[in-house]
């Protein structure tokens, strides 16, 4: 009788071991925590376009990037709150090596862009924004990679970031200023 109960207990335990997959994992959290400041920096960069003479189509692209990235930041912060996770990440750069490292524009380069003379701003703006958007693509690729996230929303965001930022980079490379 005891053997039979033990077998039944093992079978029942085995049945309950097939729990639903986790709603998110550490890769999802890290992706969002890294993309938030990356997007915030992108927003800072495109806002510089407001005060400079640029082709109207480039100003429109900058405004669209700002709108998209503001929405993404709001979504990502909400997801992290819902998961009970902090919005900010470990500031030790080594903590992010497995995710390809931080994909941020250097503060020196941003300073150079902010203070660029009018005649140099357009070219520098295109260069900095192109690099910024390419960094977002590289970051998003880590979320959808083999050791990436499991959360459907975060993985979908990564897919959209890859698609939209790749298209934006192509547009930026075609601007003649």
């Amino acid at each position: 009788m005891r053997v039979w109960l033990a077998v039944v207990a093992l079978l029942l335990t085995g049945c309950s071991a097939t729990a639903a997959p986790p709603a998110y994992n550490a890769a999802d959290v890290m992706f969002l925590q890294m993309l938030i400041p990356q997007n915030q920096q992108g927003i800072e960069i495109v806002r510089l376009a407001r005060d400079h003479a640029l082709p109207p189509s480039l100003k429109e692209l900058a405004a669209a990037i700002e709108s998209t990235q503001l929405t993404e930041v709001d979504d990502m912060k909400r997801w992290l709150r819902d998961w009970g996770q902090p919005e900010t990440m470990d500031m030790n750069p080594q903590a992010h090596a497995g995710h390809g490292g931080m994909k941020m524009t250097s503060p020196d380069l941003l300073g150079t862009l902010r203070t660029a003379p009018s005649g140099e701003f357009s070219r520098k703006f295109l260069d900095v924004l192109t690099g910024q958007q390419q960094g977002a693509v590289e970051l998003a690729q880590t979320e959808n990679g083999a050791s990436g996230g499991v959360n459907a929303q975060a993985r979908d965001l990564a897919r959209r970031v890859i698609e939209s930022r790749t298209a934006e980079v192509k547009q930026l490379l075609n601007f003649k200023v």
Side-chain angles (χ1 to χ4, degrees):
M1 179 78 160
R2 286 185 184 183
V3 173
W4 183 78
L5 289 174
V7 171
V8 170
L10 285 173
L11 289 173
L12 290 175
T13 303
C15 291
S16 66
T18 58
Y24 66 92
N25 65 11
D28 293 313
V29 173
M30 183 61 63
F31 167 62
L32 299 182
Q33 289 174 335
M34 291 175 73
L35 189 58
I36 288 170
Q38 206 278 345
N39 271 15
Q40 289 170 327
Q41 190 179 53
I43 293 165
E44 179 183 351
I45 292 167
V46 296
R47 284 181 174 168
L48 295 173
R50 295 176 183 170
D51 300 326
H52 292 85
L54 295 171
S57 56
L58 184 53
K59 283 192 177 247
E60 288 172 17
L61 178 59
I65 290 170
E66 179 181 3
S67 176
T68 298
Q69 292 185 4
L70 282 168
T71 299
E72 290 171 354
V73 167
D74 289 345
D75 289 344
M76 290 184 289
K77 285 182 175 184
R78 186 181 70 254
W79 297 339
L80 288 169
R81 276 191 311 272
D82 290 349
W83 299 345
Q85 299 294 318
E87 290 178 8
T88 57
M89 64 196 153
D90 184 345
M91 294 313 290
N92 176 357
Q94 296 305 316
H96 313 295
H99 304 280
M102 286 300 297
K103 304 295 182 192
M104 302 289 285
T105 301
S106 77
D108 292 344
L109 192 53
L110 278 177
T112 300
L113 179 60
R114 279 190 209 96
T115 60
S118 293
E120 297 175 23
F121 179 82
S122 297
R123 174 57 30 214
K124 287 182 190 263
F125 177 76
L126 285 172
D127 291 345
V128 170
L129 185 56
T130 300
Q132 179 75 14
Q133 299 306 76
Q134 185 58 43
V137 169
E138 293 169 15
L139 178 57
Q141 288 169 335
T142 66
E143 171 69 3
N144 284 341
S147 60
V150 297
N151 181 268
Q153 289 175 304
R155 289 181 62 84
D156 184 59
L157 172 62
R159 179 194 55 76
R160 288 183 284 127
V161 165
I162 291 167
E163 290 174 3
S164 67
R165 304 316 193 269
T166 298
E168 291 163 3
V169 166
K170 287 178 183 174
Q171 283 183 274
L172 291 166
L173 291 173
N174 287 321
F175 273 101
K176 306 285 187 245
V177 291

